[in-house]
Amino acid sequence: MFTHIMVPVDLTHTDKIARALETAGLLGKTTGAKITYVGVTAETPTGLAHNPQEYAAKLAEFAATQGTAYGVTADARAIASHDPTVDLNDTLLKTADALQADCIVMASHIPNITDHLWPSHGGTVAKRAHASVFVVR
Amino acid sequence: MNDQPEDVNTGVPEPEGASDIIETDYTIGQDNIEGAVGPFGFDIHNPVFAISGISVVAFVFYTLALPEQAGGAFSWLFGAVTKGFDWFFLGAANIFVLFCLFLIVSPLGKVRLGGKEASPDYTYIGWFAMLFAAGMGIGLMFYGVSEPMSHFSSSMGGTSVENGVRTDWAPLGAAAGNEQEAIRLGMAATIFHWGLHPWAIYAIVALALALFSYNKGLPLTIRSAFYPLLGERIWGWPGHLIDILAVFATLFGLATSLGFGATQANAGLNELFGIPIGATTEVLLISGITALALISVVRGLDGGVKILSEINMGLAALLLVFVLLVGPTVAILSLFGDSLMAYLEYLPALSNPVGRDDVNFMQGWTAFYWAWWISWSPFVGMFIARVSRGRTVREFVICVLLIPSMVCVLWMAVFGGTAIQQVVLDGYTAAQEAPLELKLFKMLDVLPLASITSFIGILLVIVFFVTSSDSGSLVIDTITAGGKVDAPVGQRVFWCVFEGAVAIVLLLSAGGLSSLQSMVISTGLPFTVVLLIMCWAIYRGLKSEPR
């Protein structure tokens, strides 16, 4: 059904995306698709890493753990962004195209009033991506 | 223009070479409070966000409730700072210039911001447009005509002495009655205030922040540059105070400029379209500028700030080329060369911090400017740092120090030179006699297509304010989020609106703007000490980097 699943991850809030990770893992295992975990980081130091390279290493480690846990082929792609708060959606959409992912699995919050001002990342990606999008709430 | 798409295609970034990371137990964001007010999420540093916000409100109330007392207190403070510490400002600024020049020639210049193999985030044009728009765009619009003219006029007037003290405002020994020398001295003094010294001040702050953030792995806030001095103590109160002071200077600096800018844009609109001068128009202007800045910050660094800065630079270049071509072209070009030579000739005397007899010029102009640039430096420096990853120190200093200085020389020669030539050759004195906010428009008046160029002038003033306001909001948001650049969008919206609101409240109160401006400039004194420490920190930090 799917050959390449892209899973955007926020390494600082892995607890909040647990259900999405599980969904992606099971979907990957069932369909035999490869999973690429995508993380977007700032170029400035963050709580997770001193620089984008350190972040990339952590993401790769995270992807390997997920791959082993669900028995799937897992890869990681870390992207450094000038202004992650604003650029996140565009970056994810471009990455999905670059990876030629045919499915995106991502977590999103339950919509509230602020979504009228700043739509959620999950909602925006679902609206604009070329691939199938599985939004997990 | 930006290399985002390449980032996407290259996937996991290649290792960018070693840098000398500072190992600390502090995790970025550990003091932050994350939560939500209703549906709006936030991620703010405790206590920097709260204390900054509350003290800004408290100061605004103080100036509103006791305007006379506040006005008196702040102007006393301002006078005490520029008169009592003029030697300190002048001496320190010289050290900053010399230190920057040293970095260009020293082997330390080879160090790359972001690690040995880091590649620049922005093209030269995008980078230069942003640092220029944040650094001094707006000032050039207002002082480009008026400052060369002022120094020219006062130099022509010669010196006057009362009770052994000079009472004139001319630089150095003036040039009484000598028109050619008065032009040279006037241009040299102007370039002195807009050339190497201010850009060295910005370069020091920007370099310190970029080095300690990109190479040492510390958060992008002002306190990080103090790590070599204070060590782990920067995570406590000493660090909080430094960051709060920076937020304070940035917010009030922006709010007062926004207030004055609205007054000046109003004067231009009145001159051009007969739009009435008054509080209503000014409040509408501030609201409009803030609304545009809001759109820009919500669109982010690449989609908002960078695009606006490039539009700005394009418009400014257009106006510059236009005035150069339709004005006295040959005279301006020879003035450019003459001014540069005059600047180099007078530089040692103008920058001498002690034993001067031109006290009015030295304290009222130079010390005032140095305090002003220094009080702006946390904002401009932090913004420059944010966009300068991937440059070598040498490239960085050349581009932040030498190129903007040359652009300023050209700008002053074109705008000030044209206005001076109008006086000298044609006897047209409208620009000389007009109030500050109208000088540019009066100069443009006698050139062809005056209504179009004046309109571009007003547009430039407004867009320059928008770029200051949006980049300022990004900077304040980052400092008050403990160095995190990915805090929720709502926070930068909050600071942008807050800044506009403070500007409106101060504008509507009598004398509120000018008394607070005095206070902001007074923050230049503690920041001068901060900058001197930064020079030492940069030297220490660069020495331990792989080159």
Side-chain angles (χ1 to χ4, degrees):
Chain A
M1 188 163 56
F2 297 120
T3 55
H4 195 169
I5 300 171
M6 175 175 118
V7 184
V9 289
D10 178 356
L11 284 186
T12 43
H13 295 116
T14 40
D15 52 322
K16 288 187 186 163
I17 57 169
R19 273 157 58 84
L21 291 175
E22 195 179 337
T23 307
L26 296 176
L27 197 59
K29 193 174 178 183
T30 317
T31 60
K34 174 187 173 184
I35 302 182
T36 300
Y37 295 88
V38 174
V40 179
T41 184
E43 292 175 321
T44 49
T46 64
L48 274 177
H50 291 111
N51 49 41
Q53 297 79 327
E54 236 182 77
Y55 177 86
K58 285 194 173 171
L59 186 69
E61 196 183 324
F62 173 83
T65 316
Q66 291 288 317
T68 317
Y70 294 102
V72 291
T73 314
D75 199 357
R77 181 166 291 207
I79 296 146
S81 158
H82 294 151
D83 192 354
T85 306
V86 174
D87 297 338
L88 186 63
N89 294 334
D90 282 339
T91 310
L92 291 179
L93 289 164
K94 279 179 194 160
T95 311
D97 287 344
L99 290 172
Q100 296 181 315
D102 48 7
C103 178
I104 301 170
V105 178
M106 69 190 288
S108 186
H109 61 258
I110 296 163
N112 61 31
I113 183 91
T114 55
D115 287 281
H116 294 287
L117 284 171
W118 299 294
S120 68
H121 300 304
T124 309
V125 170
K127 196 168 155 189
R128 289 172 47 198
H130 299 124
S132 304
V133 180
F134 193 148
V135 178
V136 183
R137 292 202 167 110
Chain B
M1 280 295 169
N2 72 63
D3 47 14
Q4 193 70 46
E6 286 164 32
D7 278 347
V8 170
N9 292 331
T10 50
V12 179
E14 289 297 311
E16 297 196 325
S19 65
D20 180 43
I21 299 279
I22 290 178
E23 290 302 334
T24 161
D25 293 335
Y26 184 85
T27 308
I28 296 173
Q30 75 173 40
D31 290 336
N32 281 27
I33 304 175
E34 274 187 75
V37 180
F40 296 98
F42 63 81
D43 184 358
I44 54 177
H45 186 277
N46 177 38
V48 171
F49 184 96
I51 295 183
S52 305
I54 292 168
S55 52
V56 167
V57 173
F59 262 78
V60 170
F61 269 112
Y62 172 58
T63 48
L64 291 184
L66 301 165
E68 282 177 19
Q69 194 199 8
F74 293 146
S75 55
W76 171 82
L77 184 66
F78 172 65
V81 164
T82 48
K83 288 193 172 69
F85 293 91
D86 52 351
W87 59 272
F88 183 60
F89 282 118
L90 267 76
N94 293 341
I95 292 176
F96 303 147
V97 174
L98 292 174
F99 182 65
C100 284
L101 295 175
F102 160 75
L103 288 179
I104 294 179
V105 294
S106 111
L108 297 176
K110 280 194 211 149
V111 173
R112 194 174 280 280
L113 300 170
K116 221 172 165 189
E117 324 263 317
S119 52
D121 282 347
Y122 293 98
T123 58
Y124 277 112
I125 292 186
W127 182 44
F128 188 70
M130 283 192 281
L131 63 93
F132 208 77
M136 54 175 52
I138 192 67
L140 288 177
M141 295 305 297
F142 286 103
Y143 293 97
V145 170
S146 75
E147 195 174 339
M149 190 68 99
S150 294
H151 297 323
F152 164 70
S153 306
S154 61
S155 298
M156 280 291 280
T159 56
S160 52
V161 179
E162 252 173 56
N163 302 327
V165 178
R166 285 260 302 264
T167 54
D168 63 278
W169 285 75
L172 303 175
N178 183 345
E179 208 168 68
Q180 280 312 309
E181 201 48 36
I183 295 176
R184 291 186 78 234
L185 185 56
M187 291 303 295
T190 309
I191 295 166
F192 174 56
H193 292 151
W194 293 84
L196 295 176
H197 287 75
W199 288 100
I201 289 167
Y202 291 159
I204 296 290
V205 180
L207 188 57
L209 297 178
L211 180 68
F212 282 90
S213 181
Y214 296 131
N215 295 51
K216 308 289 181 190
L218 300 181
L220 184 67
T221 64
I222 311 287
R223 68 174 85 195
S224 296
F226 283 75
Y227 195 88
L229 184 73
L230 298 172
E232 296 293 322
R233 274 173 296 171
I234 61 164
W235 312 121
W237 277 102
H240 299 336
L241 284 177
I242 293 165
D243 282 353
I244 290 167
L245 192 62
V247 172
F248 212 73
T250 304
L251 196 122
F252 277 133
L254 284 170
T256 47
S257 301
L258 207 54
F260 286 123
T263 322
Q264 289 159 332
N266 194 352
L269 287 170
N270 177 266
E271 174 85 3
L272 200 59
F273 301 114
I275 290 171
I277 291 182
T280 318
T281 318
E282 285 160 14
V283 169
L284 283 174
L285 273 168
I286 294 183
S287 310
I289 290 170
T290 304
L292 289 173
L294 264 182
I295 297 174
S296 174
V297 289
V298 169
R299 287 181 54 90
L301 199 53
D302 291 350
V305 182
K306 179 166 150 272
I307 292 178
L308 272 181
S309 301
E310 284 172 352
I311 291 175
N312 242 344
M313 202 172 69
L315 274 178
L318 198 68
L319 193 62
L320 184 91
V321 170
F322 177 80
V323 174
L324 178 66
L325 291 181
V326 303
T329 313
V330 179
I332 292 174
L333 288 177
S334 85
L335 185 68
F336 173 73
D338 280 354
S339 307
L340 207 55
M341 295 312 292
Y343 172 57
L344 296 175
E345 182 187 324
Y346 284 115
L347 186 59
L350 285 168
S351 55
N352 171 22
V354 287
R356 302 265 293 259
D357 60 356
D358 53 343
V359 277
N360 280 339
F361 174 80
M362 182 189 172
Q363 294 171 348
W365 280 102
T366 309
F368 166 82
Y369 264 123
W370 284 189
W372 185 23
W373 297 129
I374 291 170
S375 68
W376 272 83
S377 64
F379 151 47
V380 181
M382 181 135 156
F383 183 72
I384 296 178
R386 174 95 185 255
V387 295
S388 300
R389 188 173 177 275
R391 304 282 171 190
T392 64
V393 169
R394 184 168 296 140
E395 193 181 8
F396 175 89
V397 178
I398 289 174
C399 290
V400 178
L401 185 74
L402 300 184
I403 296 178
S405 298
M406 288 305 288
V407 172
C408 286
V409 178
L410 183 64
W411 186 275
M412 294 296 176
V414 170
F415 286 80
T418 304
I420 291 175
Q421 295 297 340
Q422 287 172 347
V423 177
V424 174
L425 299 178
D426 313 332
Y428 172 79
T429 55
Q432 194 176 21
E433 287 154 10
L436 179 71
E437 61 268 28
L438 284 179
K439 282 183 196 285
L440 171 71
F441 303 113
K442 291 288 181 198
M443 184 273 281
L444 292 173
D445 244 1
V446 283
L447 298 179
L449 304 173
S451 52
I452 298 176
T453 51
S454 299
F455 180 71
I456 293 180
I458 295 174
L459 201 64
L460 264 172
V461 170
I462 292 174
V463 187
F464 269 128
F465 269 112
V466 175
T467 46
S468 299
S469 176
D470 58 13
S471 43
S473 307
L474 284 181
V475 165
I476 298 178
D477 179 37
T478 306
I479 300 177
T480 55
K484 282 181 130 179
V485 296
D486 57 351
V489 182
Q491 267 165 247
R492 46 177 95 166
V493 170
F494 167 79
W495 285 112
C496 192
V497 172
F498 193 58
E499 200 179 279
V502 169
I504 289 175
V505 171
L506 291 173
L507 185 79
L508 296 178
S509 72
L513 277 176
S514 50
S515 60
L516 266 172
Q517 196 191 31
S518 308
M519 204 217 54
V520 172
I521 291 170
S522 309
T523 60
L525 185 62
F527 267 115
T528 309
V529 180
V530 166
L531 262 72
L532 286 168
I533 296 172
M534 278 179 172
C535 290
W536 173 75
I538 291 171
Y539 181 73
R540 284 273 311 258
L542 284 177
K543 271 189 76 167
S544 63
E545 282 296 309
R547 321 189 258 279

